[in-house]
Amino acid sequence: MNNTFGILETKGTLTAVLAANEMMKAANITLMGKEYLGDGTVTVLVSGNAENINKAVKAGEEYLKNTGSEGTVTMITEPAGELRRVLFKHQ
């Protein structure tokens, strides 16, 4: 069951894509979408079970650390009702 979200937020599309790629290679997760913010910040949302999202979050953190990129990665277990709809209105 995909009841956990992983969220990656960083500066720049390339950094976000490469970090998300590492997250997806590390675990069986689903890419739910991305959002571009006006200041160059990109947010990527993934979903999966808690174990896989935890692996993915660690991979994303490791990528950011190893490349010296600024950003944050977190997970939300058992997200409240309509959180996906609110976060990604167009999906």
Side-chain angles (χ1 to χ4, degrees):
M1 177 184 253
N2 292 346
N3 60 351
T4 301
F5 286 162
I7 302 174
L8 168 93
E9 189 170 275
T10 189
K11 292 283 189 176
T13 302
L14 183 58
T15 301
V17 168
L18 293 173
N21 186 54
E22 292 301 313
M23 292 171 72
M24 296 187 76
K25 290 193 302 188
N28 183 20
I29 59 174
T30 301
L31 179 63
M32 299 301 297
K34 46 70 180 108
E35 290 287 324
Y36 298 104
L37 304 179
D39 65 350
T41 299
V42 181
T43 301
V44 176
L45 178 68
V46 296
S47 68
N49 67 39
E51 179 181 351
N52 283 325
I53 293 297
N54 188 44
K55 289 177 188 176
V57 164
K58 288 179 181 177
E61 289 172 337
E62 191 67 22
Y63 178 83
L64 294 175
K65 177 183 171 188
N66 289 342
T67 60
S69 301
E70 292 185 29
T72 188
V73 188
T74 193
M75 63 188 283
I76 302 172
T77 57
E78 300 180 26
E82 297 297 317
L83 186 59
R84 182 179 305 161
R85 182 185 60 78
V86 171
L87 287 175
F88 292 86
K89 295 175 186 167
H90 62 278
Q91 295 190 4

